[in-house]
Structure formats: C-alpha cells, structure tokens
Amino acid sequence: MPSQKIHSSSKSTLPFKTGNRERRQKLHIVRKKALDNTRRDERFRRRREEDKDPRLREERLQKNVPLTLERKRVWDDVNEDTGDGLGVSVDAGRLKRQKTGGDHNELDSGKPANQGDNF
C-alpha cells in the first residue's frame, strides 16, 4: 500500500486569494477540515481493508519503520586483524550475538541470572 497523494475536495481548494483577513481565516479552516476529513476517510478505508486481510497491515508496518540515527548508522566491518581498533564504528550487540551464536541469553543456558550477586 504505497502512500497516495490525498485528493482534496472542492471545499478544500482555495479558488482565489482574498485580501480580507477574516474571510481568509474562514477559508483556511474550511480547507483544513476538508483535508482532515479526507485523511480520516483514508485511514478508516485502510483499516477496513486491513481487517479483511491482516497481511496488508503486517506489510505496512514492516515498511513504515522510522529511520532513527541508529538505523541510519553504517557500521565498519571488524575482523580480528584490524589492529588497535581505534576510530572504528562497531555494533557491539551484533558482535556479541555472533560470538554467542544467536539470541542465546543466560536464562536459557541454565545458569542463574544473578550468580555473582551476594548482597
């Protein structure tokens, strides 16, 4: 479901520019309400379609992941022969997962989580 350009109704377009401040404000409010209504209708149409076919919702959510700074970051490839490693940008979590062999945590290995904590 690609993002489609919202088509405005005849009420939401401004056919002319008016010099009257109050009239301009009223026209802006009418245009804004019409645009909000078309967006709302689009949302509810998409929701009805996704209720019929949940696969559409999953595809939309997978595609609409926001690009954060962490997701935009480009990590350097790190090998054993990189030297001192100063100035290298490394994803430590990914390296740890590679060393341990996947999503393996302490609870699955049979060790207690607080093995060294004696308070």
Side-chain angles (χ1 to χ4, degrees), residues 85-98:
L86 291 177
V88 177
S89 179
V90 180
D91 185 6
R94 188 183 70 188
L95 290 175
K96 184 176 179 182
R97 284 191 299 272
Q98 286 175 351

Side-chain angles (χ1 to χ4, degrees), residues 44-108:
F44 279 101
R45 182 193 59 78
R46 185 175 56 238
R47 183 175 177 188
R48 283 191 302 269
E49 289 176 359
E50 289 174 349
D51 285 342
K52 292 177 185 175
D53 189 5
R55 183 180 45 86
L56 294 173
R57 178 177 291 127
E58 292 171 6
E59 290 174 1
R60 179 177 58 88
L61 292 177
Q62 285 177 354
K63 186 174 59 173
N64 292 338
V65 177
L67 286 176
T68 61
L69 289 175
E70 285 297 315
R71 289 185 42 89
K72 291 179 187 178
R73 181 166 292 153
V74 177
W75 301 105
D76 295 331
D77 291 330
V78 178
N79 298 328
E80 307 303 327
D81 58 346
T82 56
D84 58 359
L86 291 177
V88 177
S89 179
V90 180
D91 185 6
R94 188 183 70 188
L95 290 175
K96 184 176 179 182
R97 284 191 299 272
Q98 286 175 351
K99 280 186 177 180
T100 59
D103 294 329
H104 187 81
N105 59 18
E106 292 176 329
L107 296 176
D108 293 339

